[in-house]
Amino acid sequence: MADPFAPTTPAAQERNWVPLVIGLGLVIAIVAAIALIGRNQQNTSNLPDPYAASLQVSDLKLSAADNFIGATVTYLDMNLTNTGNRVLVGGQIEATFRNTLNEVVQKEVVPIHVLQPNKLGGYPDLIDLATSPLSPGQTKPVRVSLEHISADWNQNAPDIRFTNLRLK
């Protein structure tokens, strides 16, 4: 009688590699398609707006402060003047930070917010441009808040570009 607990020798099996190769190829194709679509959408969404030539920046100031969790927040404060003939009701600012070799170390795209004095006193409030639009010929203070900037940044003012502007 044969011992039921005796080791058995598995029969030689041939593997069918075709489904594995097809599955791997499909996963690689999907990842590549997602990467290409994401890159193309990113490039087209941040194109400079033709109306950006009508926006003038003055009195650019950099400052930093610690937030309540101990991280440093960098502020870019500036005056924004609308020299065009349309009302600006929204948009984004692209800030490009460089290192000492003038290489790009970080790009941040953030919405444009207007600084408005708080009616109760204290710190000014950040208001969306849809709530406080920038009319032709008008100048308003604007603030960009950045949570993290690369340690390789050269501490100079970033290059600023306006994108995705919404006009009335």
Side-chain angles (χ1 to χ4, degrees), residues 60-64 74-77 97 153 155-158:
L60 182 67
K61 296 175 189 146
L62 290 164
S63 60
T74 303
Y75 298 107
L76 287 148
D77 291 331
F97 296 88
W153 172 43
Q155 304 296 313
N156 289 334

Side-chain angles (χ1 to χ4, degrees), residues 40-50 52 92 94 161-165:
N40 288 342
Q41 285 178 348
Q42 181 180 11
N43 289 342
T44 58
S45 66
N46 291 331
L47 292 176
D49 195 288
Q92 296 176 322
E94 180 184 275
R161 186 172 77 136
F162 296 99
T163 62
N164 300 322
L165 299 177

Side-chain angles (χ1 to χ4, degrees), residues 51 82-88 134-138:
Y51 194 78
N82 183 355
T83 62
N85 58 0
R86 298 185 64 192
V87 177
L88 180 65
L134 189 61
S135 299
Q138 192 175 27

Side-chain angles (χ1 to χ4, degrees), residues 3 36 84 87 100 133 136 144:
D3 182 15
L36 286 174
V87 177
T100 55
V144 175

Side-chain angles (χ1 to χ4, degrees), residues 52 54-62 76-83 93 115 134 137-144 157-158 160 162:
S54 299
L55 301 177
Q56 293 181 349
V57 173
S58 60
D59 298 328
L60 182 67
K61 296 175 189 146
L62 290 164
L76 287 148
D77 291 331
M78 64 192 88
N79 287 327
L80 184 60
T81 304
N82 183 355
T83 62
I93 294 176
L115 267 176
L134 189 61
Q138 192 175 27
T139 299
K140 289 190 177 186
V142 172
R143 173 171 282 172
V144 175
I160 292 178
F162 296 99

Side-chain angles (χ1 to χ4, degrees), residues 70-168:
T72 300
V73 179
T74 303
Y75 298 107
L76 287 148
D77 291 331
M78 64 192 88
N79 287 327
L80 184 60
T81 304
N82 183 355
T83 62
N85 58 0
R86 298 185 64 192
V87 177
L88 180 65
V89 295
Q92 296 176 322
I93 294 176
E94 180 184 275
T96 303
F97 296 88
R98 300 183 180 277
N99 64 11
T100 55
L101 300 174
N102 206 30
E103 300 167 329
V104 174
V105 293
Q106 185 173 341
K107 274 189 183 185
E108 292 289 331
V109 179
V110 293
I112 301 172
H113 286 112
V114 175
L115 267 176
Q116 189 169 349
N118 187 319
K119 293 178 176 138
L120 300 175
Y123 293 108
D125 294 323
L126 285 177
I127 307 294
D128 188 56
L129 268 174
T131 306
S132 179
L134 189 61
S135 299
Q138 192 175 27
T139 299
K140 289 190 177 186
V142 172
R143 173 171 282 172
V144 175
S145 302
L146 302 161
E147 296 291 325
H148 171 75
I149 299 179
S150 171
D152 198 21
W153 172 43
N154 64 7
Q155 304 296 313
N156 289 334
D159 299 331
I160 292 178
R161 186 172 77 136
F162 296 99
T163 62
N164 300 322
L165 299 177
R166 294 187 315 275
L167 305 164
K168 266 197 214 178

